[in-house]
Amino acid sequence: MEKPGSLATGLRCQSWCLRRVGMNVEWLLLEDGREVSLGRGFSVTYQLVSKVCPLMISRKHCVLKQNPEGQWTIMDNKSLNGVWLNRVRLEPLKFYAIHQGDHIQLGVPLDNKENAEYEYEVSEEDWEQVVPRLALKCKQMMEKNKSLRTKRKFSLDELEGSGAEGPSNLKSKMNEMSCEPGQPVQSHENGKVASLPSKYLDPKLTSPEAQEKVSGADVYSTPPKIIAPHHNKQKGSNPSTSQSSLELFKMTMSRILKLKTELQEKQIAVLNVKRQTQKGNSKTIVKMEEELQALQSQLCAEQAQQQARMEELEKTFQEEEQHLQDLEKEQGEEDLKQQLVQALQEHRALMEELNRSKKDFEAIIQAKNRELEQTKAVTLNCAHSFCSYCIKEWMKRKIECPICRKDIESKTYSLVLDNCINKMVDNLSSEVKERRIALIRERKAKRLS
């Protein structure tokens, strides 16, 4: 039967593949009639996860497929870092033909390296040479990882092996220790009951060097009392309380680690004794089994106590964080109110100052206008200039220029003309000056009356 991706040439069986540059493994097979997709996602044929830069390869980086003539082609599926064919970057969503010996590069080099992490060479090799070097497909990798995750933990009996023999009490008690969470374990010797959740018993613990050897006198026969967490009902707690809780947490963790080490040592000792004395000296085995059970009970109690302290610590931290947030919010609101009151006061003072300035300015303007209305010159919109008093009297009869007869729309005081008249008056005789002063007084008296 012809192998996938192969081309029968006489007695030889050839297969197209992407041979990874510089490596004899992780080759990618190009199967005839099937589309091959590469990327870091889960819906691709071959999953490529970069060890240097996780985002170097896109979820669906590129696609390889055969055209109607059977020629293999490659397409850049709008990847972020691009696809390079013979050192030339490909345009996205366009298929390019590939031939034997072509160089394909996915992504760009990093860390001042000359080559990218994923570089391949198009090749046609014998099927027998290709098979041992092929990379796992995405589905195969997912099934392999799933089988590793769902692999159950071995018990002491499984570690011991099928050929081992020992007292029936030990085997029954070991089976009881791996019972469902919450079921009590009954000791056959003294009738004591200890609740041993299976999640706390881990016979596959790593075996670091034991710091202390446990003896029968050092083992507590009854588990210590669990301290119930006492939650503070106040809005915030003292930082010293949090510090002490952290120290207790660290001490309990160290005790748990120590108990786990002692538990594993005791399990190994029981296993060794069981192997050495298969049928004799059952009292030693029962005694060591009781010590092991007491250690397990103590470990469970310590873990439950640690869980309670952890919950108490988390709740304390949450309360402190909420209290700080409330304080910051209240302080922010108070600061905002003070700033608002201060801004309103400044606004009121500014408005009062503006009103006073406005009244003073209006009074100055009115006084200046009254002064100018006496004998000052004005220029109309038609550019003719007259005495302000005279044109005002004229406008009582007609609202038009006395010279050009154009309607009067505006009057503007002419300071230049006033200065010129004042200079002319200074050069006149004293009689003319007196007559001008008398005329100004007369007109002012008329206006006031």
Side-chain angles (χ1 to χ4, degrees):
M1 185 178 67
E2 186 178 355
K3 303 296 181 183
S6 63
L7 177 63
T9 58
L11 298 177
R12 298 181 64 190
C13 193
Q14 300 286 329
S15 299
W16 285 96
C17 64
L18 296 182
R19 185 174 60 188
R20 189 162 181 181
V21 177
M23 298 178 65
N24 289 328
V25 292
E26 297 186 7
W27 292 9
L28 308 180
L29 178 64
L30 302 180
E31 302 182 48
D32 292 338
R34 295 189 179 182
E35 181 180 294
V36 179
S37 57
L38 309 179
R40 61 178 170 87
F42 296 101
S43 61
V44 295
T45 308
Y46 292 100
Q47 187 180 33
L48 306 179
V49 180
S50 175
K51 299 178 181 179
V52 181
C53 179
L55 299 180
M56 176 63 68
I57 304 300
S58 301
R59 289 185 178 88
K60 193 173 183 181
H61 201 93
C62 64
V63 177
L64 295 99
K65 63 185 298 185
Q66 289 177 306
N67 57 17
E69 290 77 18
Q71 177 68 41
W72 279 101
T73 60
I74 187 171
M75 180 195 71
D76 182 3
N77 191 36
K78 300 173 68 175
S79 62
L80 177 62
N81 296 305
V83 179
W84 307 75
L85 178 60
N86 296 327
R87 306 299 180 182
V88 179
R89 184 165 184 172
L90 305 182
E91 295 185 12
L93 303 180
K94 287 187 179 181
F95 284 96
Y96 294 85
I98 57 177
H99 306 84
Q100 185 172 3
D102 286 349
H103 182 271
I104 296 176
Q105 174 183 325
L106 306 181
V108 295
L110 289 178
D111 298 335
N112 298 325
K113 295 182 180 180
E114 296 181 357
N115 299 325
E117 185 176 0
Y118 290 99
E119 292 189 4
Y120 298 91
E121 183 180 347
V122 182
S123 178
E124 188 178 10
E125 304 287 345
D126 293 337
W127 174 253
E128 289 78 7
Q129 297 180 0
V130 174
V131 171
R133 297 178 173 87
L134 288 178
L136 294 177
K137 293 185 178 180
C138 184
K139 293 182 179 179
Q140 296 174 348
M141 294 178 63
M142 292 175 64
E143 291 177 358
K144 183 178 179 181
N145 294 333
K146 185 177 180 181
S147 64
L148 291 176
R149 288 195 303 267
T150 56
K151 187 176 181 181
R152 64 188 179 89
K153 298 180 179 179
F154 291 101
S155 63
L156 286 177
D157 292 335
E158 293 171 340
L159 291 175
E160 178 185 4
S162 59
E165 295 181 358
S168 59
N169 291 338
L170 179 61
K171 182 176 289 186
S172 61
K173 290 182 180 181
M174 291 299 138
N175 292 332
E176 289 175 352
M177 290 178 185
S178 60
C179 61
E180 294 295 325
Q183 293 182 356
V185 177
Q186 180 71 30
S187 176
H188 295 272
E189 293 292 326
N190 52 11
K192 293 181 181 179
V193 179
S195 178
L196 299 176
S198 61
K199 66 179 180 179
Y200 294 133
L201 304 180
D202 189 2
K204 293 181 67 180
L205 293 171
T206 58
S207 58
E209 296 183 358
Q211 295 180 358
E212 295 180 2
K213 291 186 178 181
V214 66
S215 60
D218 297 331
V219 178
Y220 296 98
S221 59
T222 58
K225 296 182 180 180
I226 300 176
I227 301 175
H230 176 69
H231 299 293
N232 193 357
K233 300 298 182 179
Q234 298 178 358
K235 203 169 188 180
S237 61
N238 194 354
S240 61
T241 306
S242 302
Q243 187 68 22
S244 61
S245 300
L246 285 173
E247 293 176 357
L248 288 174
F249 180 79
K250 293 178 181 178
M251 293 173 59
T252 310
M253 286 298 296
S254 63
R255 289 202 301 271
I256 288 176
L257 293 176
K258 185 177 178 181
L259 284 173
K260 284 184 178 179
T261 305
E262 295 175 356
L263 178 62
Q264 185 168 0
E265 290 178 357
K266 185 59 66 177
Q267 288 175 346
I268 295 173
V270 171
L271 184 60
N272 293 334
V273 172
K274 183 179 178 182
R275 287 177 178 177
Q276 294 174 0
T277 59
Q278 296 180 355
K279 294 183 178 180
N281 200 4
S282 60
K283 294 182 179 180
T284 305
I285 298 176
V286 172
K287 182 178 179 181
M288 295 184 69
E289 182 186 0
E290 292 175 356
E291 294 177 356
L292 178 62
Q293 184 177 359
L295 279 175
Q296 290 174 341
S297 302
Q298 186 178 359
L299 179 60
C300 293
E302 288 287 343
Q303 288 180 338
Q305 185 178 1
Q306 180 65 17
Q307 184 67 22
R309 288 176 179 172
M310 187 182 298
E311 293 177 357
E312 179 184 3
L313 189 61
E314 289 179 355
K315 186 172 182 180
T316 303
F317 284 159
Q318 291 178 359
E319 290 177 354
E320 290 181 355
E321 185 177 1
Q322 184 66 29
H323 180 60
L324 291 176
Q325 291 178 357
D326 294 340
L327 288 178
E328 291 177 356
K329 187 176 180 181
E330 293 176 358
Q331 187 66 26
E333 292 179 354
E334 292 179 358
D335 295 341
L336 185 61
K337 288 180 181 179
Q338 292 179 359
Q339 293 177 2
L340 183 59
V341 170
Q342 186 177 0
L344 288 174
Q345 293 177 355
E346 293 177 356
H347 179 69
R348 290 172 182 173
L350 182 60
M351 291 300 296
E352 292 177 358
E353 184 68 22
L354 288 176
N355 290 330
R356 288 194 297 269
S357 301
K358 182 179 178 181
K359 292 178 180 179
D360 296 340
F361 187 69
E362 289 177 352
I364 293 172
I365 291 177
Q366 291 177 2
K368 186 61 70 174
N369 287 335
R370 286 194 298 268
E371 181 181 355
L372 292 175
E373 286 178 357
Q374 297 174 7
T375 57
K376 301 298 181 180
V378 293
T379 302
L380 305 180
N381 56 289
C382 59
H384 292 115
S385 299
F386 300 95
C387 173
S388 61
Y389 179 81
C390 297
I391 195 64
K392 186 175 181 180
E393 294 294 327
W394 170 266
M395 289 178 63
K396 291 180 180 179
R397 295 177 295 174
K398 296 181 180 180
I399 307 177
E400 59 182 17
C401 180
I403 299 176
C404 63
R405 303 300 178 181
K406 188 177 181 180
D407 293 341
I408 300 174
E409 296 179 358
S410 64
K411 296 186 298 179
T412 305
Y413 292 103
S414 180
L415 298 178
V416 177
L417 189 56
D418 287 340
N419 293 332
C420 183
I421 293 173
N422 290 332
K423 291 181 180 180
M424 290 175 59
V425 172
D426 291 338
N427 295 327
L428 296 177
S429 60
S430 59
E431 183 180 356
V432 176
K433 293 180 182 179
E434 292 177 358
R435 284 175 53 191
R436 188 170 185 271
I437 294 173
L439 183 60
I440 292 173
R441 290 176 180 176
E442 181 181 354
R443 291 178 178 178
K444 186 176 181 180
K446 288 182 180 180
R447 183 176 59 81
L448 294 175
S449 61

